[in-house]
Amino acid sequence: MPTRLPRKPPTVRQGVRLYILLAAFYWHGYRRRAAGRRMIRIGIERGYSRWERAARRWLACSAEIAALLGDPEPPEVHELRETLGDPPPSRSDA
């Protein structure tokens, strides 16, 4: 996900939040891939809801990380948002 550090040094609170978000991002990515394998095994009708829930949580973590770092989201996130029909997250910099 992030390939570099933020432009301005984060506070301790922001740093801790970033580490928690990164852990959640990788965890939900793992769950999304596992749910995808399960969906292939048992069928889309029975397995889609678990995959969709993990994908939406992964997207939420990605949006928070992008907002915290001040960087745009990667292309694979935009592809998944289009697939699910989610609007891009609004940026409130105020």
Side-chain angles (χ1 to χ4, degrees), residues 26-86:
Y26 287 111
W27 172 251
H28 291 306
Y30 166 76
R31 295 303 307 152
R32 183 176 56 93
R33 288 186 299 276
R37 290 190 301 268
R38 181 177 186 269
M39 186 171 55
I40 290 169
R41 193 174 62 247
I42 67 170
I44 292 176
E45 298 82 21
R46 292 178 56 206
Y48 181 77
S49 63
R50 187 174 290 186
W51 177 84
E52 183 183 19
R53 185 172 44 241
R56 289 191 188 278
R57 289 177 181 170
W58 183 77
L59 288 172
C61 287
S62 176
E64 282 193 57
I65 291 170
L68 189 63
L69 294 179
D71 287 340
E73 292 179 327
E76 60 268 14
V77 172
H78 292 292
E79 292 172 15
L80 185 57
R81 282 194 196 285
E82 289 176 8
T83 301
L84 291 175
D86 280 356

Side-chain angles (χ1 to χ4, degrees), residues 4-18:
R4 62 183 183 76
L5 294 175
R7 290 183 187 99
K8 61 180 182 175
T11 63
V12 173
R13 174 175 260 167
Q14 290 172 332
V16 169
R17 181 70 181 148
L18 178 63

